[in-house]
Amino acid sequence: MGPLTLAPLLLAAALAHPFDAHSRGPLSALLRPRSAQGGTADPGLRRLGPQDPPVDTLGDPLPRGATARIGTLRLRHEDAVTSVAFSPDGKTVASSSHDRSLRLWNAENGRRIFSVEAHRGRMYGVAFSPDGSRIATAGQDKTVRLWNSTNGAEVQSFDGHDEHVWSVVFSPDGSTMASAGADEAVMLWEPSSGKELRRLHGHDGNVLSLAFAPDSRTLASAGLDGTVRVWDTRTGREVLKLRDGTSSVNSAAFGPEGRTILSGSWGGTVRLWDRVTGKPLVDFKGHEGVVYRVAISADGKVVASGGKDNTLRLWDGATGKELRRIEAARYGVLAVALTHDGKTVAAGTGDGLVRLFDVETGKELCGRQGTGQATGTLAFSPDGKTLALAWTDTSLRLHEVATVREILRLAGHEDQVAAVAWLPDGKRLVSGGADGALRIWDASTGKELRKLEAHPKGVACLAVSPDGAVIATGGADRALGLWDASTGKVLSRQADLEDALKSLAFSPDGKQVAGGDWEGGLRFHEVPGGRELRRLRGAGSVIHALAWSPDGTRLYSGGGDQNVVVWDLEKGKSIRSLYGHGDDVRSLAITRDGKFLLSGGDDASVRLWDLATLREVRSLDGHEQKVFSVAVSADGCRAATASLDSTVVLWDLESRK
């Protein structure tokens, strides 16, 4: 995602940099329109009658042609979750995200009720009306929008801000809606008519958070100028200014009967203030760094806070004692909310999750599955019975294909895993990660057999020769490494390549390895000596993936030019492009008989191509976000696809015939 134009806003800076699980860089979410459908999926496939559509263990439907799913779409976004809000009855929770979507979830089971693309740009705020019939959202497109909470239909749009809108809130009596943003203004609206009632000016900087007191007349605003300001909304007069002593106050909330005000700041302080005297009453100390959001229960007994230190913390509202510390995120807890009864707390995270916890026990509700987004690498074992997957927690996981049950977890990488492949004996597998290490594992025990320091700037791609004797690696250091798979010895190392390699593939006879680079170039090297044999130039866009035909005469590449390129290796040139994807082609897999090619791309589609006719014969539609990795079992009957939407889907390919 592009940088915010108003850096270094605290909230913006924090929320604008969730990490792409594949590149560890800022994530650009180019989303397709969402339908108002229920969420999908956890591991497994429940056995049903012959006429019933297949579903997973939670009862969510599987895509057509799919047999199982690993991971879940419940309580998930494709980008940072910036705001969460419970409905007045606590039965649903709404979330907004940088992915531009407003999503409503069943708070009991986590199932998605609807999802709508709510703004033209990132979203920052969400709030329920007091009667629960409407949801208000705030976004980067300078608007506040109102939505029907039953079906997600847009009711009204409020235009008036000159910059991003960071926060929106309803008065408890529902007569007024307030919004605030980067234009330093607080705006008051009549929700029923859309009429602007008043503008409040006083902050010297972005206004990041708003809260109404129970009397519906008193409003608190917190901002980048390091203050919390209290307003009489009837007159527009500022009646109190609280200065926290830090560069930014990011969040504010009223305590019971409006007698106290809670704030969370850049300096890591959570503080309770006396609204009448303006004096601090209680400090809640524990966060290590920025506090993004605070919330307080209706009775004032529980305070919740989320911060840059990836923790959700629960506190005794009277004494400031920390009741519970929950490791809830990898890229910051950016949003928090409590139900009216104070029994459930929601956390929105920088890694795109909405997590619900029981306040008293700290137990997670709705059974979160998986660990976030798949990193975009997977591989079938040679016998097709096991699937190796990499996740954002740096681990490799082995799943039994028949049941999709996790059977083994391989831990050792110190950063995200970029590539994984099986050795032909099926007893070992190899992985390369952003930590620069190449690791060889015992697939039956999960024991690390060997660790090789392959590329200091990270392993970007790897491939295993057909006989399993040689491992090829490429990295950001612009080097190609060839390794003896048995001894770990370096067979050759070609350094100072013109461009870093993004993809690798061995020829069927194992005598050559092809590499695709970031500038669209193809290079071929001798194995095991590493001598460069020749180069071919593509369309100038990155080559993400390569697949060699079993007869060795053709090479297929997928990349930033949004198509699959067919290369005739005897002629040394491209002879055809396969069109169909609407964005980068990230991954390719060819069936062992060479008859079919599977491609996955950033347009969230997976396509099956007949290589005799070079025509698309089937589209596997089931992912909601970029497809980073595809794999085909050795018998050609199954496919697996991994996506940024945090799921891996298994498909039956038999119907292609």
Side-chain angles (χ1 to χ4, degrees):
M1 66 184 69
L4 283 172
T5 58
L6 293 165
L9 297 179
L10 162 74
L11 195 58
L15 301 184
H17 298 290
F19 285 79
D20 180 323
H22 198 64
S23 68
R24 288 182 56 79
L27 171 63
S28 294
L30 301 177
L31 303 182
R32 300 178 300 166
R34 300 288 195 270
S35 61
Q37 60 184 6
T40 51
D42 268 355
L45 177 65
R46 193 177 70 196
R47 298 298 179 188
L48 299 172
Q51 303 303 317
D52 293 319
V55 296
D56 58 33
T57 52
L58 292 180
D60 293 324
L62 290 168
R64 182 180 179 183
T67 61
R69 185 190 284 111
I70 301 168
T72 179
L73 292 176
R74 293 189 179 196
L75 297 174
R76 273 171 168 76
H77 282 268
E78 285 76 51
D79 211 330
V81 176
T82 54
S83 186
V84 290
F86 281 102
S87 59
D89 61 9
K91 293 182 178 180
T92 60
V93 59
S95 56
S96 67
S97 169
H98 278 167
D99 66 12
R100 307 201 298 257
S101 72
L102 162 67
R103 295 183 177 177
L104 185 67
W105 314 91
N106 183 312
E108 182 178 355
N109 57 32
R111 183 170 291 169
R112 192 169 70 192
I113 298 170
F114 66 72
S115 176
V116 294
E117 190 169 313
H119 286 263
R120 298 184 301 276
R122 304 183 205 113
M123 292 177 61
Y124 301 118
V126 66
F128 270 96
S129 62
D131 64 3
S133 66
R134 298 288 185 263
I135 301 173
T137 59
Q140 186 181 14
D141 60 4
K142 307 177 188 178
T143 69
V144 174
R145 298 177 187 239
L146 210 57
W147 308 86
N148 185 305
S149 65
T150 301
N151 56 22
E154 184 172 358
V155 176
Q156 198 160 353
S157 179
F158 300 77
D159 301 291
H161 284 283
D162 296 325
E163 294 289 348
H164 306 348
V165 185
W166 298 117
S167 183
V168 63
V169 65
F170 285 94
S171 63
D173 64 7
S175 65
T176 308
M177 183 176 71
S179 60
D183 56 5
E184 304 180 4
V186 176
M187 298 188 68
L188 304 180
W189 310 87
E190 186 176 64
S192 58
S193 67
K195 177 183 177 182
E196 180 184 328
L197 301 175
R198 191 182 299 276
R199 295 194 183 204
L200 310 177
H201 292 283
H203 280 282
D204 183 21
N206 287 247
V207 186
L208 304 176
S209 178
L210 296 169
F212 265 105
D215 63 9
S216 294
R217 300 189 303 271
T218 307
L219 179 72
S221 59
L224 193 65
D225 59 4
T227 68
V228 177
R229 298 171 189 254
V230 182
W231 311 84
D232 184 326
T233 59
R234 296 169 300 179
T235 64
R237 186 172 64 90
E238 181 184 308
V239 297
L240 180 67
K241 180 166 67 175
L242 308 174
R243 187 168 291 279
D244 187 74
T246 63
S247 59
S248 176
V249 182
N250 311 316
S251 185
F254 274 100
E257 300 178 12
R259 296 190 302 266
T260 55
I261 298 173
L262 184 70
S263 66
S265 72
W266 173 271
T269 300
V270 178
R271 180 168 291 161
L272 192 67
W273 307 77
D274 187 300
R275 173 187 158 191
V276 177
T277 66
K279 294 182 178 181
L281 298 175
V282 183
D283 278 356
F284 305 81
K285 298 180 179 180
H287 278 289
E288 300 172 6
V290 181
V291 174
Y292 294 137
R293 283 287 184 267
V294 296
I296 187 169
S297 61
D299 60 10
K301 293 182 179 180
V302 178
V303 166
S305 58
K308 188 178 180 181
D309 59 6
N310 300 326
T311 66
L312 168 67
R313 298 181 189 239
L314 300 175
W315 315 83
D316 185 303
T319 67
K321 178 183 177 181
E322 184 176 295
L323 303 175
R324 199 167 302 279
R325 178 179 185 270
I326 301 171
E327 296 288 340
R330 298 190 69 226
Y331 303 125
V333 177
L334 310 182
V336 296
L338 285 160
T339 52
H340 183 75
D341 61 13
K343 294 182 178 180
T344 305
V345 61
T349 75
D351 31 334
L353 305 177
V354 178
R355 303 186 67 179
L356 306 180
F357 298 91
D358 182 284
V359 169
E360 184 176 354
T361 65
K363 179 182 177 182
E364 183 157 18
L365 308 175
C366 302
R368 187 169 66 103
Q369 301 290 329
T371 59
Q373 300 161 343
T375 62
T377 182
L378 52 77
F380 278 103
S381 60
D383 63 7
K385 294 182 179 180
T386 308
L387 188 66
L389 308 174
W391 298 86
T392 53
D393 64 355
T394 75
S395 71
L396 274 172
R397 304 183 186 196
L398 303 186
H399 289 254
E400 184 180 53
V401 171
T403 64
V404 298
R405 177 177 58 92
E406 182 182 324
I407 55 177
L408 194 61
R409 190 171 298 196
L410 287 60
H413 280 287
E414 297 172 1
D415 210 327
Q416 294 173 5
V417 180
V420 61
W422 290 81
L423 275 71
D425 61 11
K427 297 179 180 179
R428 296 168 295 162
L429 67 159
V430 59
S431 60
D435 58 4
L438 180 69
R439 299 173 190 263
I440 301 175
W441 310 85
D442 184 312
S444 62
T445 66
K447 179 182 178 181
E448 182 182 298
L449 302 176
R450 198 175 300 278
K451 175 187 175 184
L452 308 174
E453 297 299 335
H455 299 273
K457 295 183 179 180
V459 178
C461 52
L462 66 83
V464 176
S465 63
D467 62 4
V470 181
I471 301 169
T473 60
D477 56 357
R478 296 190 295 122
L480 167 67
L482 296 177
W483 311 80
D484 186 302
S486 297
T487 66
K489 179 183 176 181
V490 179
L491 300 174
S492 70
R493 182 177 179 83
Q494 306 301 313
D496 299 322
L497 303 178
E498 289 184 358
D499 294 297
L501 295 175
K502 186 67 168 61
S503 53
L504 289 166
F506 277 94
S507 60
D509 60 10
K511 295 181 179 180
Q512 299 180 54
V513 62
D517 64 34
W518 282 91
E519 297 299 324
L522 278 174
R523 54 194 313 128
F524 298 79
H525 290 260
E526 181 184 51
V527 177
R531 179 174 61 92
E532 184 179 308
L533 300 174
R534 62 171 166 171
R535 300 186 194 181
L536 300 176
R537 178 53 57 180
S541 298
V542 57
I543 297 178
H544 294 297
L546 293 171
W548 216 308
S549 66
D551 63 7
T553 62
R554 289 182 175 181
L555 186 68
Y556 304 90
S557 65
D561 53 5
Q562 304 183 11
N563 55 61
V564 178
V565 179
V566 184
W567 300 84
D568 186 313
L569 297 181
E570 293 180 357
K571 297 178 180 179
K573 65 179 183 179
S574 61
I575 58 172
R576 182 79 173 268
S577 290
L578 309 182
Y579 298 99
H581 285 282
D583 210 328
D584 287 27
V585 178
R586 288 278 178 178
S587 184
L588 298 173
I590 196 168
T591 56
R592 181 175 290 181
D593 59 13
K595 293 182 179 180
F596 297 93
L597 179 75
L598 197 66
S599 61
D602 284 0
D603 59 357
S605 74
V606 179
R607 300 175 186 273
L608 188 67
W609 309 87
D610 185 317
L611 295 183
T613 63
L614 297 180
R615 292 184 177 180
E616 181 183 330
V617 293
R618 186 177 170 193
S619 179
L620 307 180
D621 300 316
H623 287 293
E624 295 196 347
Q625 255 294 330
K626 300 178 181 182
V627 176
F628 276 148
S629 187
V630 300
V632 178
S633 60
D635 61 8
C637 295
R638 284 193 178 97
T641 56
S643 171
L644 185 62
D645 66 14
S646 81
T647 69
V648 173
V649 179
L650 297 179
W651 307 85
D652 174 19
L653 293 186
E654 284 291 281
S655 59
R656 75 177 191 268
K657 301 174 181 177

